[in-house]
PDB file of all heavy atoms in Angstrom:
ATOM      1  N   THR L   1       0.831  -1.204   0.000  1.00 90.00           N
ATOM      2  CA  THR L   1       0.000   0.000   0.000  1.00 90.00           C
ATOM      3  C   THR L   1       0.864   1.253   0.000  1.00 90.00           C
ATOM      4  O   THR L   1       0.603   2.205  -0.750  1.00 90.00           O
ATOM      5  CB  THR L   1      -0.947   0.004   1.207  1.00 90.00           C
ATOM      6  OG1 THR L   1      -1.774  -1.159   1.148  1.00 90.00           O
ATOM      7  CG2 THR L   1      -1.814   1.241   1.236  1.00 90.00           C
ATOM      8  N   LEU L   2       1.895   1.265   0.829  1.00 92.00           N
ATOM      9  CA  LEU L   2       2.775   2.435   0.875  1.00 92.00           C
ATOM     10  C   LEU L   2       3.526   2.628  -0.440  1.00 92.00           C
ATOM     11  O   LEU L   2       3.668   3.754  -0.919  1.00 92.00           O
ATOM     12  CB  LEU L   2       3.764   2.304   2.030  1.00 92.00           C
ATOM     13  CG  LEU L   2       3.159   2.474   3.421  1.00 92.00           C
ATOM     14  CD1 LEU L   2       4.218   2.233   4.496  1.00 92.00           C
ATOM     15  CD2 LEU L   2       2.552   3.855   3.583  1.00 92.00           C
ATOM     16  N   LEU L   3       3.985   1.529  -1.027  1.00 93.00           N
ATOM     17  CA  LEU L   3       4.669   1.656  -2.316  1.00 93.00           C
ATOM     18  C   LEU L   3       3.712   2.120  -3.413  1.00 93.00           C
ATOM     19  O   LEU L   3       4.081   2.929  -4.269  1.00 93.00           O
ATOM     20  CB  LEU L   3       5.324   0.328  -2.699  1.00 93.00           C
ATOM     21  CG  LEU L   3       6.541  -0.070  -1.880  1.00 93.00           C
ATOM     22  CD1 LEU L   3       6.994  -1.478  -2.248  1.00 93.00           C
ATOM     23  CD2 LEU L   3       7.662   0.925  -2.068  1.00 93.00           C
ATOM     24  N   GLY L   4       2.486   1.621  -3.404  1.00 89.00           N
ATOM     25  CA  GLY L   4       1.488   2.062  -4.375  1.00 89.00           C
ATOM     26  C   GLY L   4       1.139   3.528  -4.200  1.00 89.00           C
ATOM     27  O   GLY L   4       0.969   4.265  -5.179  1.00 89.00           O
ATOM     28  N   LEU L   5       1.023   3.969  -2.945  1.00 87.00           N
ATOM     29  CA  LEU L   5       0.739   5.372  -2.662  1.00 87.00           C
ATOM     30  C   LEU L   5       1.889   6.257  -3.117  1.00 87.00           C
ATOM     31  O   LEU L   5       1.671   7.326  -3.697  1.00 87.00           O
ATOM     32  CB  LEU L   5       0.468   5.556  -1.174  1.00 87.00           C
ATOM     33  CG  LEU L   5       0.059   6.944  -0.718  1.00 87.00           C
ATOM     34  CD1 LEU L   5      -1.245   7.362  -1.387  1.00 87.00           C
ATOM     35  CD2 LEU L   5      -0.097   6.961   0.797  1.00 87.00           C
ATOM     36  N   LEU L   6       3.107   5.806  -2.893  1.00 92.00           N
ATOM     37  CA  LEU L   6       4.271   6.562  -3.343  1.00 92.00           C
ATOM     38  C   LEU L   6       4.296   6.686  -4.864  1.00 92.00           C
ATOM     39  O   LEU L   6       4.559   7.766  -5.406  1.00 92.00           O
ATOM     40  CB  LEU L   6       5.555   5.895  -2.842  1.00 92.00           C
ATOM     41  CG  LEU L   6       6.861   6.549  -3.256  1.00 92.00           C
ATOM     42  CD1 LEU L   6       6.970   7.956  -2.683  1.00 92.00           C
ATOM     43  CD2 LEU L   6       8.037   5.701  -2.823  1.00 92.00           C
ATOM     44  N   ALA L   7       3.979   5.592  -5.550  1.00 91.00           N
ATOM     45  CA  ALA L   7       3.932   5.638  -7.018  1.00 91.00           C
ATOM     46  C   ALA L   7       2.841   6.588  -7.504  1.00 91.00           C
ATOM     47  O   ALA L   7       3.036   7.328  -8.481  1.00 91.00           O
ATOM     48  CB  ALA L   7       3.700   4.239  -7.572  1.00 91.00           C
ATOM     49  N   ALA L   8       1.688   6.587  -6.826  1.00 85.00           N
ATOM     50  CA  ALA L   8       0.605   7.492  -7.213  1.00 85.00           C
ATOM     51  C   ALA L   8       1.000   8.947  -6.994  1.00 85.00           C
ATOM     52  O   ALA L   8       0.705   9.813  -7.830  1.00 85.00           O
ATOM     53  CB  ALA L   8      -0.660   7.163  -6.424  1.00 85.00           C
ATOM     54  N   VAL L   9       1.674   9.232  -5.892  1.00 86.00           N
ATOM     55  CA  VAL L   9       2.099  10.609  -5.610  1.00 86.00           C
ATOM     56  C   VAL L   9       3.132  11.069  -6.642  1.00 86.00           C
ATOM     57  O   VAL L   9       3.060  12.201  -7.136  1.00 86.00           O
ATOM     58  CB  VAL L   9       2.645  10.717  -4.167  1.00 86.00           C
ATOM     59  CG1 VAL L   9       3.380  12.022  -3.948  1.00 86.00           C
ATOM     60  CG2 VAL L   9       1.521  10.572  -3.169  1.00 86.00           C
ATOM     61  N   VAL L  10       4.080  10.197  -6.988  1.00 92.00           N
ATOM     62  CA  VAL L  10       5.080  10.561  -7.993  1.00 92.00           C
ATOM     63  C   VAL L  10       4.405  10.787  -9.341  1.00 92.00           C
ATOM     64  O   VAL L  10       4.734  11.741 -10.067  1.00 92.00           O
ATOM     65  CB  VAL L  10       6.166   9.466  -8.086  1.00 92.00           C
ATOM     66  CG1 VAL L  10       7.056   9.657  -9.305  1.00 92.00           C
ATOM     67  CG2 VAL L  10       7.005   9.453  -6.819  1.00 92.00           C
ATOM     68  N   ASN L  11       3.444   9.944  -9.683  1.00 90.00           N
ATOM     69  CA  ASN L  11       2.714  10.093 -10.937  1.00 90.00           C
ATOM     70  C   ASN L  11       1.943  11.415 -10.963  1.00 90.00           C
ATOM     71  O   ASN L  11       1.975  12.152 -11.961  1.00 90.00           O
ATOM     72  CB  ASN L  11       1.760   8.921 -11.134  1.00 90.00           C
ATOM     73  CG  ASN L  11       1.090   8.949 -12.478  1.00 90.00           C
ATOM     74  OD1 ASN L  11       1.526   9.622 -13.398  1.00 90.00           O
ATOM     75  ND2 ASN L  11       0.003   8.215 -12.596  1.00 90.00           N
ATOM     76  N   LEU L  12       1.249  11.725  -9.870  1.00 86.00           N
ATOM     77  CA  LEU L  12       0.500  12.986  -9.820  1.00 86.00           C
ATOM     78  C   LEU L  12       1.424  14.198  -9.846  1.00 86.00           C
ATOM     79  O   LEU L  12       1.089  15.224 -10.444  1.00 86.00           O
ATOM     80  CB  LEU L  12      -0.390  13.017  -8.582  1.00 86.00           C
ATOM     81  CG  LEU L  12      -1.639  12.146  -8.651  1.00 86.00           C
ATOM     82  CD1 LEU L  12      -2.388  12.186  -7.333  1.00 86.00           C
ATOM     83  CD2 LEU L  12      -2.542  12.586  -9.787  1.00 86.00           C
ATOM     84  N   ALA L  13       2.582  14.090  -9.194  1.00 87.00           N
ATOM     85  CA  ALA L  13       3.538  15.205  -9.224  1.00 87.00           C
ATOM     86  C   ALA L  13       4.045  15.430 -10.643  1.00 87.00           C
ATOM     87  O   ALA L  13       4.195  16.580 -11.081  1.00 87.00           O
ATOM     88  CB  ALA L  13       4.700  14.922  -8.276  1.00 87.00           C
ATOM     89  N   GLY L  14       4.298  14.350 -11.373  1.00 89.00           N
ATOM     90  CA  GLY L  14       4.721  14.490 -12.766  1.00 89.00           C
ATOM     91  C   GLY L  14       3.641  15.109 -13.630  1.00 89.00           C
ATOM     92  O   GLY L  14       3.919  15.961 -14.484  1.00 89.00           O
ATOM     93  N   MET L  15       2.387  14.682 -13.420  1.00 87.00           N
ATOM     94  CA  MET L  15       1.277  15.260 -14.185  1.00 87.00           C
ATOM     95  C   MET L  15       1.095  16.737 -13.836  1.00 87.00           C
ATOM     96  O   MET L  15       0.854  17.562 -14.715  1.00 87.00           O
ATOM     97  CB  MET L  15      -0.007  14.488 -13.913  1.00 87.00           C
ATOM     98  CG  MET L  15      -0.008  13.100 -14.518  1.00 87.00           C
ATOM     99  SD  MET L  15      -1.548  12.226 -14.231  1.00 87.00           S
ATOM    100  CE  MET L  15      -2.653  13.179 -15.254  1.00 87.00           C
ATOM    101  N   TRP L  16       1.213  17.070 -12.562  1.00 87.00           N
ATOM    102  CA  TRP L  16       1.051  18.458 -12.131  1.00 87.00           C
ATOM    103  C   TRP L  16       2.139  19.336 -12.747  1.00 87.00           C
ATOM    104  O   TRP L  16       1.858  20.428 -13.240  1.00 87.00           O
ATOM    105  CB  TRP L  16       1.100  18.544 -10.610  1.00 87.00           C
ATOM    106  CG  TRP L  16       0.829  19.913 -10.095  1.00 87.00           C
ATOM    107  CD1 TRP L  16      -0.386  20.495  -9.927  1.00 87.00           C
ATOM    108  CD2 TRP L  16       1.804  20.879  -9.704  1.00 87.00           C
ATOM    109  NE1 TRP L  16      -0.231  21.768  -9.446  1.00 87.00           N
ATOM    110  CE2 TRP L  16       1.108  22.024  -9.298  1.00 87.00           C
ATOM    111  CE3 TRP L  16       3.187  20.881  -9.657  1.00 87.00           C
ATOM    112  CZ2 TRP L  16       1.755  23.167  -8.850  1.00 87.00           C
ATOM    113  CZ3 TRP L  16       3.836  22.016  -9.217  1.00 87.00           C
ATOM    114  CH2 TRP L  16       3.106  23.150  -8.827  1.00 87.00           C
ATOM    115  N   SER L  17       3.382  18.831 -12.763  1.00 88.00           N
ATOM    116  CA  SER L  17       4.466  19.648 -13.335  1.00 88.00           C
ATOM    117  C   SER L  17       4.335  19.753 -14.857  1.00 88.00           C
ATOM    118  O   SER L  17       4.634  20.802 -15.437  1.00 88.00           O
ATOM    119  CB  SER L  17       5.826  19.069 -12.954  1.00 88.00           C
ATOM    120  OG  SER L  17       5.992  17.783 -13.495  1.00 88.00           O
ATOM    121  N   ALA L  18       3.854  18.695 -15.516  1.00 89.00           N
ATOM    122  CA  ALA L  18       3.652  18.764 -16.965  1.00 89.00           C
ATOM    123  C   ALA L  18       2.541  19.742 -17.309  1.00 89.00           C
ATOM    124  O   ALA L  18       2.653  20.518 -18.272  1.00 89.00           O
ATOM    125  CB  ALA L  18       3.324  17.381 -17.514  1.00 89.00           C
ATOM    126  N   LEU L  19       1.472  19.736 -16.529  1.00 87.00           N
ATOM    127  CA  LEU L  19       0.386  20.682 -16.776  1.00 87.00           C
ATOM    128  C   LEU L  19       0.790  22.104 -16.414  1.00 87.00           C
ATOM    129  O   LEU L  19       0.304  23.075 -17.018  1.00 87.00           O
ATOM    130  CB  LEU L  19      -0.866  20.269 -16.013  1.00 87.00           C
ATOM    131  CG  LEU L  19      -1.552  19.006 -16.540  1.00 87.00           C
ATOM    132  CD1 LEU L  19      -2.662  18.569 -15.599  1.00 87.00           C
ATOM    133  CD2 LEU L  19      -2.077  19.228 -17.937  1.00 87.00           C
ATOM    134  N   ALA L  20       1.701  22.242 -15.445  1.00 87.00           N
ATOM    135  CA  ALA L  20       2.190  23.577 -15.090  1.00 87.00           C
ATOM    136  C   ALA L  20       2.986  24.187 -16.240  1.00 87.00           C
ATOM    137  O   ALA L  20       2.975  25.400 -16.432  1.00 87.00           O
ATOM    138  CB  ALA L  20       3.033  23.511 -13.826  1.00 87.00           C
ATOM    139  N   LEU L  21       3.682  23.346 -17.010  1.00 90.00           N
ATOM    140  CA  LEU L  21       4.407  23.840 -18.181  1.00 90.00           C
ATOM    141  C   LEU L  21       3.448  24.392 -19.234  1.00 90.00           C
ATOM    142  O   LEU L  21       3.822  25.258 -20.029  1.00 90.00           O
ATOM    143  CB  LEU L  21       5.258  22.729 -18.797  1.00 90.00           C
ATOM    144  CG  LEU L  21       6.460  22.258 -17.972  1.00 90.00           C
ATOM    145  CD1 LEU L  21       7.129  21.060 -18.632  1.00 90.00           C
ATOM    146  CD2 LEU L  21       7.449  23.402 -17.803  1.00 90.00           C
ATOM    147  N   LEU L  22       2.223  23.888 -19.224  1.00 89.00           N
ATOM    148  CA  LEU L  22       1.200  24.377 -20.155  1.00 89.00           C
ATOM    149  C   LEU L  22       0.378  25.517 -19.553  1.00 89.00           C
ATOM    150  O   LEU L  22      -0.623  25.932 -20.124  1.00 89.00           O
ATOM    151  CB  LEU L  22       0.268  23.231 -20.553  1.00 89.00           C
ATOM    152  CG  LEU L  22       0.917  22.055 -21.277  1.00 89.00           C
ATOM    153  CD1 LEU L  22      -0.083  20.925 -21.427  1.00 89.00           C
ATOM    154  CD2 LEU L  22       1.425  22.518 -22.636  1.00 89.00           C
ATOM    155  N   SER L  23       0.795  25.997 -18.408  1.00 88.00           N
ATOM    156  CA  SER L  23       0.106  27.080 -17.681  1.00 88.00           C
ATOM    157  C   SER L  23      -1.304  26.664 -17.252  1.00 88.00           C
ATOM    158  O   SER L  23      -2.227  27.479 -17.236  1.00 88.00           O
ATOM    159  CB  SER L  23       0.066  28.366 -18.508  1.00 88.00           C
ATOM    160  OG  SER L  23       1.378  28.797 -18.803  1.00 88.00           O
ATOM    161  N   VAL L  24      -1.477  25.418 -16.932  1.00 83.00           N
ATOM    162  CA  VAL L  24      -2.760  24.919 -16.429  1.00 83.00           C
ATOM    163  C   VAL L  24      -2.561  24.541 -14.966  1.00 83.00           C
ATOM    164  O   VAL L  24      -1.612  23.856 -14.615  1.00 83.00           O
ATOM    165  CB  VAL L  24      -3.224  23.677 -17.241  1.00 83.00           C
ATOM    166  CG1 VAL L  24      -4.505  23.119 -16.682  1.00 83.00           C
ATOM    167  CG2 VAL L  24      -3.356  24.033 -18.700  1.00 83.00           C
ATOM    168  N   ARG L  25      -3.447  25.011 -14.107  1.00 81.00           N
ATOM    169  CA  ARG L  25      -3.367  24.720 -12.677  1.00 81.00           C
ATOM    170  C   ARG L  25      -4.555  23.857 -12.251  1.00 81.00           C
ATOM    171  O   ARG L  25      -5.526  24.352 -11.692  1.00 81.00           O
ATOM    172  CB  ARG L  25      -3.354  26.003 -11.852  1.00 81.00           C
ATOM    173  CG  ARG L  25      -2.158  26.861 -12.077  1.00 81.00           C
ATOM    174  CD  ARG L  25      -0.983  26.286 -11.337  1.00 81.00           C
ATOM    175  NE  ARG L  25       0.172  27.149 -11.530  1.00 81.00           N
ATOM    176  CZ  ARG L  25       1.400  26.734 -11.413  1.00 81.00           C
ATOM    177  NH1 ARG L  25       1.633  25.501 -11.089  1.00 81.00           N
ATOM    178  NH2 ARG L  25       2.396  27.545 -11.608  1.00 81.00           N
ATOM    179  N   PRO L  26      -4.491  22.568 -12.519  1.00 77.00           N
ATOM    180  CA  PRO L  26      -5.620  21.718 -12.112  1.00 77.00           C
ATOM    181  C   PRO L  26      -5.525  21.348 -10.634  1.00 77.00           C
ATOM    182  O   PRO L  26      -4.460  21.429 -10.018  1.00 77.00           O
ATOM    183  CB  PRO L  26      -5.445  20.473 -12.972  1.00 77.00           C
ATOM    184  CG  PRO L  26      -3.970  20.373 -13.142  1.00 77.00           C
ATOM    185  CD  PRO L  26      -3.480  21.802 -13.221  1.00 77.00           C
ATOM    186  N   ALA L  27      -6.631  20.941 -10.091  1.00 78.00           N
ATOM    187  CA  ALA L  27      -6.671  20.463  -8.710  1.00 78.00           C
ATOM    188  C   ALA L  27      -6.564  18.940  -8.751  1.00 78.00           C
ATOM    189  O   ALA L  27      -7.554  18.245  -8.933  1.00 78.00           O
ATOM    190  CB  ALA L  27      -7.959  20.901  -8.029  1.00 78.00           C
ATOM    191  N   LEU L  28      -5.346  18.441  -8.653  1.00 70.00           N
ATOM    192  CA  LEU L  28      -5.132  16.997  -8.670  1.00 70.00           C
ATOM    193  C   LEU L  28      -5.237  16.463  -7.245  1.00 70.00           C
ATOM    194  O   LEU L  28      -4.567  16.949  -6.337  1.00 70.00           O
ATOM    195  CB  LEU L  28      -3.751  16.667  -9.246  1.00 70.00           C
ATOM    196  CG  LEU L  28      -3.523  17.068 -10.696  1.00 70.00           C
ATOM    197  CD1 LEU L  28      -2.085  16.781 -11.094  1.00 70.00           C
ATOM    198  CD2 LEU L  28      -4.474  16.331 -11.606  1.00 70.00           C
ATOM    199  N   THR L  29      -6.081  15.482  -7.062  1.00 75.00           N
ATOM    200  CA  THR L  29      -6.255  14.880  -5.738  1.00 75.00           C
ATOM    201  C   THR L  29      -6.209  13.363  -5.859  1.00 75.00           C
ATOM    202  O   THR L  29      -6.486  12.791  -6.914  1.00 75.00           O
ATOM    203  CB  THR L  29      -7.606  15.279  -5.115  1.00 75.00           C
ATOM    204  OG1 THR L  29      -8.651  14.846  -5.979  1.00 75.00           O
ATOM    205  CG2 THR L  29      -7.704  16.776  -4.922  1.00 75.00           C
ATOM    206  N   LEU L  30      -5.860  12.738  -4.767  1.00 74.00           N
ATOM    207  CA  LEU L  30      -5.869  11.280  -4.713  1.00 74.00           C
ATOM    208  C   LEU L  30      -7.258  10.791  -4.309  1.00 74.00           C
ATOM    209  O   LEU L  30      -7.903  11.407  -3.458  1.00 74.00           O
ATOM    210  CB  LEU L  30      -4.846  10.777  -3.696  1.00 74.00           C
ATOM    211  CG  LEU L  30      -3.388  10.873  -4.107  1.00 74.00           C
ATOM    212  CD1 LEU L  30      -2.493  10.511  -2.936  1.00 74.00           C
ATOM    213  CD2 LEU L  30      -3.106   9.949  -5.263  1.00 74.00           C
ATOM    214  N   PRO L  31      -7.714   9.700  -4.871  1.00 81.00           N
ATOM    215  CA  PRO L  31      -9.013   9.134  -4.473  1.00 81.00           C
ATOM    216  C   PRO L  31      -8.856   8.349  -3.168  1.00 81.00           C
ATOM    217  O   PRO L  31      -8.720   7.128  -3.157  1.00 81.00           O
ATOM    218  CB  PRO L  31      -9.363   8.226  -5.654  1.00 81.00           C
ATOM    219  CG  PRO L  31      -8.044   7.840  -6.236  1.00 81.00           C
ATOM    220  CD  PRO L  31      -7.142   9.005  -6.015  1.00 81.00           C
ATOM    221  N   TRP L  32      -8.871   9.061  -2.047  1.00 84.00           N
ATOM    222  CA  TRP L  32      -8.573   8.453  -0.748  1.00 84.00           C
ATOM    223  C   TRP L  32      -9.542   7.332  -0.386  1.00 84.00           C
ATOM    224  O   TRP L  32      -9.137   6.313   0.172  1.00 84.00           O
ATOM    225  CB  TRP L  32      -8.548   9.516   0.342  1.00 84.00           C
ATOM    226  CG  TRP L  32      -7.391  10.440   0.193  1.00 84.00           C
ATOM    227  CD1 TRP L  32      -7.429  11.740  -0.200  1.00 84.00           C
ATOM    228  CD2 TRP L  32      -6.019  10.127   0.405  1.00 84.00           C
ATOM    229  NE1 TRP L  32      -6.163  12.266  -0.246  1.00 84.00           N
ATOM    230  CE2 TRP L  32      -5.273  11.294   0.129  1.00 84.00           C
ATOM    231  CE3 TRP L  32      -5.331   8.981   0.803  1.00 84.00           C
ATOM    232  CZ2 TRP L  32      -3.897  11.334   0.244  1.00 84.00           C
ATOM    233  CZ3 TRP L  32      -3.956   9.021   0.916  1.00 84.00           C
ATOM    234  CH2 TRP L  32      -3.253  10.197   0.637  1.00 84.00           C
ATOM    235  N   GLN L  33     -10.819   7.518  -0.669  1.00 91.00           N
ATOM    236  CA  GLN L  33     -11.792   6.495  -0.303  1.00 91.00           C
ATOM    237  C   GLN L  33     -11.548   5.202  -1.085  1.00 91.00           C
ATOM    238  O   GLN L  33     -11.577   4.111  -0.528  1.00 91.00           O
ATOM    239  CB  GLN L  33     -13.211   6.981  -0.541  1.00 91.00           C
ATOM    240  CG  GLN L  33     -14.248   5.983  -0.040  1.00 91.00           C
ATOM    241  CD  GLN L  33     -15.645   6.532  -0.125  1.00 91.00           C
ATOM    242  OE1 GLN L  33     -15.870   7.635  -0.605  1.00 91.00           O
ATOM    243  NE2 GLN L  33     -16.605   5.760   0.346  1.00 91.00           N
ATOM    244  N   ALA L  34     -11.269   5.319  -2.369  1.00 88.00           N
ATOM    245  CA  ALA L  34     -10.986   4.135  -3.182  1.00 88.00           C
ATOM    246  C   ALA L  34      -9.693   3.461  -2.729  1.00 88.00           C
ATOM    247  O   ALA L  34      -9.618   2.223  -2.666  1.00 88.00           O
ATOM    248  CB  ALA L  34     -10.899   4.515  -4.654  1.00 88.00           C
TER     249      ALA L  34
END
């Protein structure tokens, strides 16, 4: 679970930084309940 959560956080950080290069500020959140 911890390794999966770490992979999800790294993936979201990469998506957030890629979208930041496009000047888009999305609200990326983890699906905590799922």
